[in-house]
Amino acid sequence: MATETPPQPASASSGSDGGPPRRPPYSIYDTRNLKRRRPRWVRIALWTGGSLLAVVLVVALVVGWWVHGLVDKVGNLSADVRAAGSSLNQTLPSSSEPVTALVIGSDYRASDGAAAKNDSRSDTLMLVRLDPRTKYISLLSLPRDLHVTIPEYKGQPAHVDKINAAYSEGGYKLALKTVEQATGIRPNYLLTVDFKGFKDLVNAFHGVYVPVDQRYYHENTPGTEQYSAIDVPPGYQLLNGVNGLAFSRYRHTDSDFYRNARQQVFLHAFSQRASAQLHGIGLDQLNTFRHVADIVANNVQVTGPNGVPGVQTMIRLATTAYEIRSRVVTSRLAAVTAGTALDSYVDLANPDAMRQAVFLFEHPESTGSPKGQLPSSGKPHKPKFKPQVDPTHVPLTVVNGNGVTGSAAAGGKALGGWGYPVTVSTQPAPTFTFNQSAVYYRPADKAAAKDVVAILGNAVSFPMTPTYAAYASKGLVVVLGKSFNGQLAHPAPSSGAPGGLPADMHVDPAAYRTDFASVNGPATFPVMYPTAVQNVSVFQPWITTPVRLYTIAQAGGHNNSLYGYWQYNGIPGSYWGIEETRFTDAPILQSPDDTRRLDGRTYQFYFNGSHIHMVAFIKNGTAYWVQNTLIDDVSNADMIAIARSLKPVR
């Protein structure tokens, strides 16, 4: 490369340039990912005592004469459930003390007969705790593949196996004993639910709107692994009972931890659907109430140490659950997945991990909130200077021309805050004798060069030369001289750097624009695309187009929704996505945890314990939101940055 005479020569110095530091990606089993779900009044839906009792309570208010018959049905216990009563905590708590229940979801129904019992499976083991004093509902899901010691039972010695083997070997009684030994918790109540009831209940509400994070597909053909067939595309959509159950039980390409998270996502969505359809008391809802109550009564069994709880007890617990419906904390067990050729899925948790999960389950009030991490809703910093040319359309290549290590990286990050797509050159300038910074431009970019000179301060511009044209085939080449001290003469506006742009993100208006623009024509809404790029995520194209363009019937016309998604850090099961839809009154948008007025938009934040699970805003009759992975792998700062970076495709 020929030597170019710099604007103001000075004595040479040596050095090299470096890139910005990157924070390591989260571990999916890090205990910092312990979750809190933000629910509605039937938050835990079919899988929790609170939801069951809330449904019974609503029915009682409408058809009080009928509720006693329903409770009798729920209390029509099988011999196995009755026998399990002796393994429950025999001391019933007072009205002000916490109540704990073990919920077991299986594919066994009493009507199938005793012969089918040995072949049944317990896909769901969840502890539910209702605390009237602290006003929290807490959940602890136990992965079905978790290896634990199963106690001695009916002459069979104690042995190590998956926790769901306890149910297959000794029914509900052995399952209770195994859970108590593993966690130290002895529940007050046992609730059993079967899969048919799950499907029937979903269909009773005419389906549930679910934010599906990725494509779930498997077809049983010769030569492939034989398991449940499923074909559920990605994106926010209405799932019926069959697809809802398939989504909730799916695990074959990831792990039990993601299966548990899918169940929680579905049940959260179910609670939103139920609360919308069972809102208020009216004759037009009587049939729905009665249908739902019948399904619950015929597919759920409830028992305590003294048998079936009385109507007054059930209504008291239901009333408490309703009053604290918005304070639900999900405790997730930090464990790792291992396997062998004979046993592909083994979940292992050390005693400390179990103690930590149990502590959060019993002390849900100790969980944190991300509210303090949200950007200020005050007036953003707006500099006096305004570029004549939109920075997002002007690529910059930043070159070290002063010999100070990291200078180009620092300058590139600062200029990127204005929205310029920045590339930091690994090749320094031919000489480090630049006193002032220099901006080299092609004829069409002269006005843009003037903007950058003003932003840098103490800089000059020059027509492009062959030497600096070799650094970039388009846009401006910015050579940082000794006048650059890491600061800009005109700092970027606060809205120009979405969410602060943490170290693993950078502005790049070109990265995904083409992908989202591919559906801008047929879409019936203004399509937006992200300009903040996360270095540890990989875009996942849809089958026919880069993003999936589709229709949600309740949102009106054709092609009214889209969904694009990324895999986080190469982790199986870890996908985050961007949804855009005309469905502005979607159930998922109900009751945000917080709102902020930023960048001319009103952002809605949805928390999951100490994590931001979703960021949304509505503009031009369209809802836009960024949804985190199933277990919230994407950091809070990244979630905010991605949402604030969304810009219209022009």
Side-chain angles (χ1 to χ4, degrees):
M1 185 177 292
T3 301
E4 189 77 20
T5 302
Q8 296 185 23
S11 59
S13 61
S14 62
S16 60
D17 199 18
R22 298 183 182 180
R23 63 168 174 79
Y26 283 154
S27 165
I28 62 172
Y29 302 120
D30 195 309
T31 56
R32 291 174 294 178
N33 288 335
L34 293 173
K35 299 170 164 280
R36 181 180 72 180
R37 293 286 171 192
R38 183 200 52 78
R40 293 286 290 176
W41 65 273
V42 279
R43 163 66 185 84
I44 311 142
L46 189 57
W47 255 246
T48 74
S51 63
L52 164 65
L53 298 174
V55 171
V56 172
L57 176 60
V58 172
V59 176
L61 294 173
V62 183
V63 281
W65 57 269
W66 193 44
V67 72
H68 288 273
L70 290 175
V71 175
D72 286 344
K73 281 187 176 181
V74 173
N76 187 17
L77 306 180
S78 66
D80 191 17
V81 172
R82 282 197 301 271
S86 61
S87 297
L88 293 167
N89 189 333
Q90 299 300 301
T91 302
L92 283 177
S94 67
S95 59
S96 61
E97 293 177 317
V99 176
T100 303
L102 175 64
V103 183
I104 299 179
S106 74
D107 56 3
Y108 172 72
R109 305 186 75 210
S111 58
D112 294 335
K117 179 67 179 65
N118 293 334
D119 297 325
S120 62
R121 296 161 292 177
S122 60
D123 268 24
T124 301
L125 284 170
M126 183 184 292
L127 285 163
V128 183
R129 184 176 184 270
L130 181 69
D131 192 338
R133 184 181 58 82
T134 62
K135 301 189 183 305
Y136 274 99
I137 298 172
S138 51
L139 311 176
L140 174 57
S141 294
L142 299 172
R144 73 172 196 173
D145 293 338
L146 181 67
H147 264 211
V148 297
T149 299
I150 298 178
E152 178 183 355
Y153 186 74
K154 291 188 175 180
Q156 183 173 349
H159 59 285
V160 175
D161 204 341
K162 296 179 181 181
I163 196 168
N164 71 334
Y167 173 77
S168 299
E169 295 174 10
Y172 297 112
K173 187 169 186 175
L174 185 56
L176 275 166
K177 288 184 176 180
T178 303
V179 168
E180 180 184 359
Q181 181 167 292
T183 64
I185 298 169
R186 193 176 191 187
N188 305 104
Y189 294 100
L190 170 68
L191 282 78
T192 72
V193 186
D194 66 64
F195 293 157
K196 181 181 183 302
F198 177 96
K199 291 186 289 186
D200 289 349
L201 191 57
V202 171
N203 291 334
F205 286 106
H206 309 292
V208 172
Y209 283 102
V210 179
V212 180
D213 59 312
Q214 59 163 309
R215 188 192 185 197
Y216 293 92
Y217 177 81
H218 178 76
E219 181 181 0
N220 284 320
T221 58
T224 65
E225 185 180 355
Q226 303 295 296
Y227 56 83
S228 298
I230 185 173
D231 188 2
V232 176
Y236 192 66
Q237 61 196 283
L238 192 68
L239 298 185
N240 60 21
V242 172
N243 285 337
L245 183 61
F247 169 79
S248 300
R249 297 185 64 205
Y250 186 89
R251 185 209 55 181
H252 302 284
T253 58
D254 41 57
S255 70
D256 248 354
F257 304 105
Y258 286 94
R259 186 218 293 265
N260 287 346
R262 275 186 285 272
Q263 291 174 354
Q264 292 162 1
V265 165
F266 187 90
L267 295 176
H268 186 192
F270 176 87
S271 73
Q272 293 167 334
R273 180 73 160 173
S275 64
Q277 293 202 10
L278 295 181
H279 177 71
I281 305 296
L283 292 177
D284 57 332
Q285 296 168 304
L286 183 58
N287 287 335
T288 300
F289 290 160
R290 181 161 185 158
H291 190 195
V292 168
D294 270 332
I295 293 169
V296 171
N298 287 309
N299 294 280
V300 175
Q301 297 182 80
V302 184
T303 188
N306 299 322
V308 182
V311 174
Q312 289 184 343
T313 299
M314 295 177 76
I315 291 180
R316 174 176 59 83
L317 293 174
T319 303
T320 303
Y322 178 81
E323 290 174 349
I324 61 177
R325 62 194 179 277
S326 63
R327 306 183 74 183
V328 177
V329 175
T330 299
S331 175
R332 187 175 65 85
L333 176 64
V336 294
T337 298
T340 68
L342 298 177
D343 190 351
S344 299
Y345 298 101
V346 178
D347 298 330
L348 306 171
N350 61 43
D352 286 339
M354 181 63 77
R355 279 194 293 270
Q356 186 164 359
V358 170
F359 178 85
L360 182 59
F361 175 75
E362 295 183 330
H363 302 85
E365 67 279 2
S366 66
T367 189
S369 168
K371 187 171 183 178
Q373 301 176 38
L374 301 184
S376 171
S377 57
K379 258 191 168 182
H381 159 64
K382 291 186 178 180
K384 297 176 182 179
F385 177 77
K386 182 177 181 180
Q388 298 179 38
V389 181
D390 184 355
T392 63
H393 296 155
V394 184
L396 302 184
T397 300
V398 181
V399 181
N400 189 330
N402 57 30
V404 178
T405 301
S407 180
K413 183 176 182 180
L415 290 168
W418 279 93
Y420 289 103
V422 172
T423 300
V424 177
S425 176
T426 57
Q427 180 69 32
T431 177
F432 292 141
T433 57
F434 285 77
N435 275 347
Q436 286 180 294
S437 297
V439 180
Y440 291 89
Y441 63 87
R442 294 173 173 85
D445 296 325
K446 186 173 183 178
K450 185 178 179 180
D451 290 337
V452 176
V453 166
I455 290 172
L456 285 169
N458 200 7
V460 291
S461 62
F462 297 95
M464 187 66 70
T465 66
T467 297
Y468 291 99
Y471 283 87
S473 60
K474 61 180 180 178
L476 305 176
V477 176
V478 179
V479 183
L480 296 177
K482 294 184 182 299
S483 62
F484 178 72
N485 61 1
Q487 303 295 321
L488 301 177
H490 294 289
S494 58
S495 61
L501 284 180
D504 63 349
M505 302 198 74
H506 63 278
V507 173
D508 187 349
Y512 305 117
R513 186 182 184 281
T514 301
D515 297 321
F516 282 74
S518 66
V519 299
N520 190 44
T524 59
F525 56 92
V527 173
M528 290 193 180
Y529 73 105
T531 60
V533 177
Q534 189 186 54
N535 298 335
V536 296
S537 295
V538 177
F539 184 66
Q540 305 292 303
W542 179 232
I543 298 172
T544 55
T545 54
V547 296
R548 182 190 175 217
L549 184 65
Y550 65 106
T551 301
I552 297 177
Q554 194 166 335
H558 187 57
N559 289 337
N560 57 33
S561 306
L562 73 75
Y563 182 76
Y565 64 108
W566 288 255
Q567 185 174 27
Y568 179 83
N569 205 28
I571 301 170
S574 183
Y575 296 88
W576 62 270
I578 295 174
E579 179 77 32
E580 304 180 10
T581 178
R582 288 285 192 187
F583 196 8
T584 55
D585 57 349
I588 198 172
L589 297 174
Q590 296 174 10
S591 303
D593 291 293
D594 210 327
T595 59
R596 289 286 192 277
R597 183 70 179 173
L598 305 163
D599 319 325
R601 302 168 179 167
T602 299
Y603 290 91
Q604 300 173 183
F605 295 90
Y606 301 82
F607 301 158
N608 183 16
S610 59
H611 300 276
I612 297 174
H613 184 69
M614 193 172 85
V615 184
F617 64 91
I618 297 176
K619 191 175 182 65
N620 298 322
T622 306
Y624 303 87
W625 69 75
V626 180
Q627 66 187 49
N628 211 327
T629 69
L630 289 168
I631 60 174
D632 296 331
D633 294 305
V634 181
S635 72
N636 293 341
D638 287 357
M639 288 291 293
I640 297 170
I642 295 166
R644 295 181 70 180
S645 81
L646 291 176
K647 292 191 174 182
V649 171
R650 292 186 175 91

